[in-house]
Amino acid sequence: MPRFVGALDTGTTSTRFIIFDDEGTPYATHQIEFAQSYPFAGWHEQNPIEIIESSHACINGAVEQFVAKGYKASDIEAIGITNQRETTVVWDSVTGKPLYNAIAWPDTRTSRLVHAFKEKPGAEKLFDLCGLPLSTYPSAMKLVWLLQNIPAVADAQKAGTLMFGTVDTWLVYNLTGRDKFVTDSTNASRTMFLNINTLTYDDFLIDFFGVRGIQFPELICSSDDTAFGKVAAGANALAGTPICSCLGDQSAALVGQKAFSVGEGKNTYGTGLFLLYNTGHSPVFSKNGLLTTVAYNFKGHKPVYALEGSIAVGGSAVKFLRDNLKLISDSDEIGRLASKVPDAGGVVFVTAFSGLFAPYWIDDAQGTIYGITNFTTREHIARATIEATCYQTRAVLDAMQKDSGYDLKTLKVDGGMSNSDVCMQIQSDIIGINVVRPSYRETTALGAAIAAGIAVGIWKGVDDLERVNKKGETTFTPTITEKKKEKMYHLWERAVEKCRGWVEDVEEDEDQLTEEKRVESSVSLHLLGKA
């Protein structure tokens, strides 16, 4: 009789619940997309209530499939959680209800705040304390914006009832019937409130951002058999089941790829792209634009750190071609279009919809397309969109090599875009090394399941995972010359340099809504209908 564990994966655009056996084979899955709100340029919000509702629905849907196959809900020994990181939720401890929409991780409304905070005394200390640069990306600036602009949030801070959390905290708080207010260090390390060296909240960071008086979640390990509590009684089909792990999505993917040794890395092609490189039990601080983060922190073991290169736009660029420009009718079509042309025809698409993240950290860039001529077709644009993700991956890998002194021999990949053979071949060509894709590519959910399974003894430890998701790997090898590869990359680097400063120019030249009017409009039109 196999043993089973469930994984709740709440990503940027959808929630899903997958039930795995002890060989990593999925037995049942249910997925639901939830709405995204873009009230103004650079703004990206989500409904926290909808995130919870979709979580219950996905668990119930997957369990229904599981039971229909002849198993019992009680056969599922534990639940693991993995989630979009940095996305910021605030709610009231008395009512338990959110005070504003969740501000999603790609949101760039805080760009002006970032520039102001970079001038504050002590700003130069931040990176060495938390491993993150001041940018619109981490949770800290999102929370500061909420405190400065949303009266209900500021009032709750004054009253001492303001609770802050990333999506993992919000999920566990609600799934346990408000019994647990916790976070793990992989998620906390993305807020700028955690000291990356001690893995505790840092007084200097709390004071720097002015967030005293806020309730912060308790810090616990990423894999623990008791600390996360149990699913509360009610409509959820897994009421009483222990929640035994929580990992930010990119850390979960690293675990799912079983990159447990120093020097191993992976790239997840999701809404954004995220490269993680295992650096062992000590944090490594990048001098080349990378982030220092917690890879995973299992109960009874030393925490493991990683260097990370975060790329804001990956699969979301494909969605942009589909939904905004109508150049494709479904996401899979992009690979088919790209394969019809030998190259991008001189077109370079800098997909800086949320600025450029690692290793550039250019907040004032916006999406730009260079090299369009009468020769350009939608096939060229499709290929240039794929190449944009691959070029940025190359830039991050170059930075990782400089920081670590180690060249990756292979790149492990997962996530939606990795399903495309065309995309993965282009990636191998641009980085000049082998790209290895596992047969089962939902490694984010698998990583959460592995962490929960280790907590309850389904696996004795990481050395007991040899049989998990082992068969059916595909390897892509480079097919173009070194000269062509470097010529293509040089064109990309030129395009990146040309896209700097676009946001500033637009704000100076266009008659836009003032910040106050945008906030007033957002509060009146976009506050949660279900809260």
Side-chain angles (χ1 to χ4, degrees):
M1 180 68 180
R3 300 177 70 180
F4 297 100
V5 61
L8 179 64
D9 180 358
T10 302
T12 305
T13 59
S14 68
T15 299
R16 58 187 166 182
F17 189 74
I18 304 175
I19 301 168
F20 294 96
D21 71 1
D22 50 7
E23 292 190 351
T25 303
Y27 273 60
T29 182
H30 192 80
Q31 184 168 350
I32 297 174
E33 287 195 10
F34 51 83
Q36 310 295 311
S37 175
Y38 307 97
F40 302 102
W43 291 36
H44 185 172
E45 299 179 356
Q46 299 162 347
N47 186 328
I49 302 298
E50 190 175 357
I51 290 174
I52 299 303
E53 291 177 345
S54 67
S55 299
H56 287 299
C58 285
I59 291 172
N60 292 342
V63 170
E64 183 178 349
Q65 296 174 34
F66 187 66
V67 171
K69 293 181 177 181
Y71 301 99
K72 302 186 297 293
S74 59
D75 291 334
I76 302 169
E77 298 182 40
I79 294 173
I81 290 175
T82 181
N83 57 281
Q84 54 172 309
R85 303 170 304 169
E86 295 93 21
T87 296
T88 300
V89 188
V90 287
W91 65 100
D92 189 277
S93 62
V94 177
T95 66
K97 294 182 177 180
L99 297 169
Y100 189 74
N101 285 346
I103 299 182
W105 61 268
D107 188 287
T108 59
R109 76 185 66 184
T110 60
S111 58
R112 291 182 179 179
L113 271 177
V114 169
H115 290 299
F117 270 71
K118 284 180 178 179
E119 301 302 318
K120 284 188 65 173
E124 71 282 356
K125 301 178 183 179
L126 298 183
F127 186 76
D128 289 337
L129 287 173
C130 65
L132 304 175
L134 260 175
S135 78
T136 61
Y137 184 29
S139 308
M141 298 311 301
K142 297 174 173 63
L143 180 57
V144 171
W145 185 92
L146 288 163
L147 289 166
Q148 291 185 3
N149 293 281
I150 307 303
V153 178
D155 291 344
Q157 182 189 27
K158 293 175 183 176
T161 61
L162 179 59
M163 303 183 88
F164 155 81
T166 42
V167 170
D168 59 308
T169 300
W170 176 244
L171 286 169
V172 174
Y173 179 78
N174 283 276
L175 288 173
T176 61
R178 306 183 189 176
D179 181 51
K180 294 292 183 178
F181 180 49
V182 297
T183 190
D184 90 302
S185 50
T186 68
N187 280 291
S189 68
R190 315 302 297 185
T191 63
M192 295 194 84
F193 301 130
L194 186 81
N195 187 309
I196 198 70
N197 303 286
T198 64
L199 299 189
T200 58
Y201 291 122
D202 189 277
D203 286 336
F204 176 85
L205 296 172
I206 298 294
D207 290 334
F208 181 85
F209 291 107
V211 292
R212 286 284 175 193
I214 295 173
Q215 298 182 39
F216 286 86
E218 177 188 356
L219 294 162
I220 59 177
C221 292
S222 310
S223 173
D224 192 296
D225 57 338
T226 60
F228 292 101
K230 297 181 179 181
V231 178
N236 194 299
L238 292 182
T241 305
I243 301 169
C244 293
S245 76
C246 189
L247 291 157
D249 50 10
Q250 304 315 316
S251 290
L254 189 77
V255 172
Q257 288 277 22
K258 298 182 290 183
F260 297 119
S261 299
V262 175
E264 291 187 324
K266 67 87 193 173
N267 192 14
T268 296
Y269 298 75
T271 301
L273 274 72
F274 301 91
L275 287 84
L276 260 69
Y277 174 94
N278 187 323
T279 61
H281 298 302
S282 299
V284 173
F285 294 93
S286 175
K287 297 181 180 178
N288 296 284
L290 303 179
L291 311 179
T292 303
T293 195
V294 179
Y296 53 90
N297 183 11
F298 291 174
K299 182 179 179 180
H301 300 272
K302 292 181 179 179
V304 173
Y305 292 88
L307 281 172
E308 176 173 339
S310 305
I311 299 167
V313 176
S316 56
V318 179
K319 186 178 179 182
F320 173 79
L321 295 190
R322 184 194 68 188
D323 298 343
N324 294 48
L325 300 187
K326 312 297 183 185
L327 288 182
I328 56 176
S329 56
D330 63 78
S331 297
D332 293 339
E333 189 179 354
I334 191 170
R336 297 192 295 272
L337 284 178
S339 67
K340 292 180 179 180
V341 290
D343 53 46
V347 175
V348 179
F349 187 3
V350 183
T351 52
F353 302 156
S354 302
L356 283 173
F357 286 11
Y360 309 105
W361 299 109
I362 306 173
D363 290 332
D364 57 3
Q366 284 190 332
T368 48
I369 302 179
Y370 298 96
I372 291 179
T373 67
N374 287 334
F375 173 70
T376 302
T377 65
R378 66 177 186 145
E379 286 82 3
H380 292 123
I381 294 175
R383 193 173 185 98
T385 304
I386 292 175
E387 288 181 355
T389 66
C390 299
Y391 288 134
Q392 291 176 82
T393 297
R394 157 78 185 267
V396 170
L397 288 177
D398 286 352
M400 286 182 170
Q401 189 277 329
K402 292 175 183 176
D403 284 324
S404 67
Y406 176 83
D407 287 322
L408 275 180
K409 303 301 181 185
T410 60
L411 179 65
K412 297 181 178 181
V413 298
D414 53 68
M417 288 183 71
S418 72
N419 294 326
S420 168
D421 288 356
V422 175
C423 181
M424 292 301 96
Q425 185 58 59
I426 292 173
Q427 182 67 90
S428 179
D429 288 340
I430 287 176
I431 61 178
I433 62 174
N434 289 351
V435 170
V436 179
R437 183 180 67 191
S439 177
Y440 183 72
R441 294 185 278 282
E442 303 301 342
T443 56
T444 301
L446 180 59
I450 286 172
I454 288 175
V456 295
I458 291 177
W459 298 285
K460 296 178 182 178
V462 298
D463 295 332
D464 193 30
L465 296 168
E466 179 64 27
R467 68 185 187 277
V468 174
N469 198 25
K470 182 65 177 176
K471 298 178 181 178
E473 287 183 345
T474 303
T475 300
F476 299 87
T477 60
T479 60
I480 65 174
T481 65
E482 181 75 10
K483 182 178 179 180
K484 183 176 181 179
K485 171 171 72 83
E486 292 306 313
K487 182 178 179 180
M488 292 168 62
Y489 188 62
H490 176 67
L491 196 61
W492 164 261
E493 289 182 312
R494 283 179 58 202
V496 168
E497 287 305 310
K498 288 180 180 293
C499 78
R500 291 179 183 270
W502 187 262
V503 173
E504 181 180 357
D505 292 342
V506 170
E507 289 179 348
E508 289 176 355
D509 295 343
E510 293 188 0
D511 181 19
Q512 296 186 330
L513 287 171
T514 64
E515 183 71 12
E516 292 78 13
K517 287 183 178 179
R518 284 200 296 269
V519 172
E520 181 182 351
S521 178
S522 180
V523 171
S524 62
L525 296 178
H526 298 279
L527 278 178
L528 306 173
K530 295 183 179 181

